[in-house]
Amino acid sequence: MSVRGIRGAITVELNEEGPILDATIELLNGIGEVNHFEPEDIASVFITVTQDLDATFPARAIRQMAGWELVPLMCSLEVPVKGSLEKCIRLMVLVNTDASQKDIRHVYLNRAQALRPDLVVK
């Protein structure tokens, strides 16, 4: 069994608690659906947000999900590169899995699809 990193990103339109929490849940559920893991399989989740999202911690949404209460979570700010995608939440889910690297499916939603169009599943 290996630890694999699963990437994902989603954008929101408003810097408000509800949209940030809802988008975080949508993204994590999307990653879980295509990669078929349970919270018990997760080593940790690293979460970043762009500097324009400061209404809440996205980790709050994950901590409220059933089974995720004990998963280690860490929030941080994304590097503020000029001209980069705004209002973006990114996840790096570290999962214990027998899946090979090529079988891991990364998830990019909304305007975040522009970050890695090569990985967007249509």
Side-chain angles (χ1 to χ4, degrees), residues 12-24 52-58 60 87 89:
V12 295
E13 296 305 314
L14 301 170
N15 179 28
E16 295 177 359
E17 182 176 332
I20 292 170
L21 297 178
D22 291 346
T24 303
D52 49 7
L53 294 180
D54 61 3
T56 191
F57 294 101
R60 283 186 50 224
K87 293 185 177 72
I89 302 163

Side-chain angles (χ1 to χ4, degrees), residues 5-11 23-24 27-28 30-31 35 45-48 78 88-93 104-109 112-113 115-116 119:
I6 305 174
R7 290 292 317 267
I10 190 169
T11 54
T24 303
L27 179 58
L28 186 58
I31 291 171
N35 289 287
V45 180
F46 187 64
I47 307 154
T48 66
E78 189 66 33
C88 188
I89 302 163
R90 292 173 172 89
L91 301 181
M92 172 72 79
V93 180
I104 296 296
R105 299 292 173 249
H106 307 279
V107 176
Y108 292 86
L109 303 173
Q113 292 180 1
L115 295 171
R116 290 297 305 265
L119 297 178

Side-chain angles (χ1 to χ4, degrees), residues 76-106:
S76 183
L77 284 175
E78 189 66 33
V79 177
V81 175
K82 290 180 183 170
S84 62
L85 187 61
E86 297 177 346
K87 293 185 177 72
C88 188
I89 302 163
R90 292 173 172 89
L91 301 181
M92 172 72 79
V93 180
L94 299 176
V95 61
N96 296 300
T97 181
D98 289 322
S100 68
Q101 190 68 47
K102 68 177 177 51
D103 293 328
I104 296 296
R105 299 292 173 249
H106 307 279

Side-chain angles (χ1 to χ4, degrees), residues 24-39:
T24 303
I25 292 169
E26 179 183 355
L27 179 58
L28 186 58
N29 282 337
I31 291 171
E33 287 172 16
V34 298
N35 289 287
H36 313 289
F37 60 73
E38 299 297 324

